Amino acid sequence: MAELVYRPVVAVAKAAFRALGIRFDITGIENIPTTGGAVMAINHIGYLDFTFAGIAAAPANRLVRFMAKKEVFDKQPAGFLMRGMKHIPVDRGAGLDSYRAAVEAVQAGEIVGVFPEATISQSFELKHFKTGAARIAIEAGVPLLPLVLWGSQRIMTKGRPRDLRRGTHLRIVVGVPFTPEPGAKPVQVTTELKTRMQALLETARSTYAGRQRDAGDTWWIPRALGGTAPTPEEAAVRDAEEQAARAARRAARQDEKATGTD
C-alpha cells in the first residue's frame, strides 16, 4: 500500500534533523521485526519522542503507527498528517475504541507505538506504566518491542523552552522483542516490560556522548545521577497540579457552554 503521506514526512524530518545537526546513535536496529505486527513500547521524555522512535524503525523499512491523544487529530494541519500516516487517535472518554483499533492494526501486521507512561516524565526517570501495551500484545499474540530514548528532553520537553542548537546527541536503544504467553496477566507482563526498559535506559545513559553545554546545564540530568531535574516525587506533584489545572479549565469551558457565555 502506498504511503503518500508518511514516507515524505519521514524524509522531511530526517532532513530537518540533519540541518539541526542532531547526532543519532541508534543500536539494536536488528531487533526490529522486518515483518509482522508488534507493539513498540517507548519511554517518554520529550515532545518529539514519537518522531525519533519512528526514525529508528526506518532502517528496518517499518512505519510505526502511534497512539496519540485525540486532541492532536482535531487540529490542522496536524490532524491531516496524523490521519495520513494512519496513527491511532486516543479518546480518553472512549478508550475501548482506540484499544480495538490498535489490536486490529498489529493483527494486520503493523507496528503500533505506545508510551506506557502516557505522559512525559518530568524527572526523566521511568514513571508508572499503564498496562495498555501489554494488553494489546497479549490479545493480538504479537511481541512487545522495547525502545528507549535519551537526550530528546534537551531538544523539546515539558516546562522548558525548545533548544534547537546544533550538535545535540540523541541515544536510542532498541531492545530484544518478547512475546507474552497466551493468557498472561497484563500486570505481570507490564512489570517485565518496565524491567527491560529500565535496563535499556541505563545502557542509553551510560553510553550517551552528549555533554553539558556549561556548568549550569544540569536540568536534563536526573537527580539520582547528580543533575537538577525534579525527583520522581517532585515530578508527581507537578503532574497532579497540571492535571488539576486541566480539569478546572475543562469544567470552566463546560460552564460557559451551559450558560451560553462561550
Side-chain angles (χ1 to χ4, degrees), residues 165-189:
R165 285 178 287 182
R166 293 182 58 82
T168 300
H169 182 250
L170 186 64
R171 186 76 171 93
I172 304 177
V173 183
V174 185
V176 176
F178 69 102
T179 304
E181 294 290 333
K185 302 295 185 183
V187 171
Q188 295 175 349
V189 174

Side-chain angles (χ1 to χ4, degrees), residues 89-112:
V90 177
D91 185 345
R92 292 174 181 173
L96 183 59
D97 291 342
S98 57
Y99 172 81
R100 295 306 315 167
V103 170
E104 291 172 4
V106 294
Q107 287 177 331
E110 301 281 6
I111 294 180
V112 170

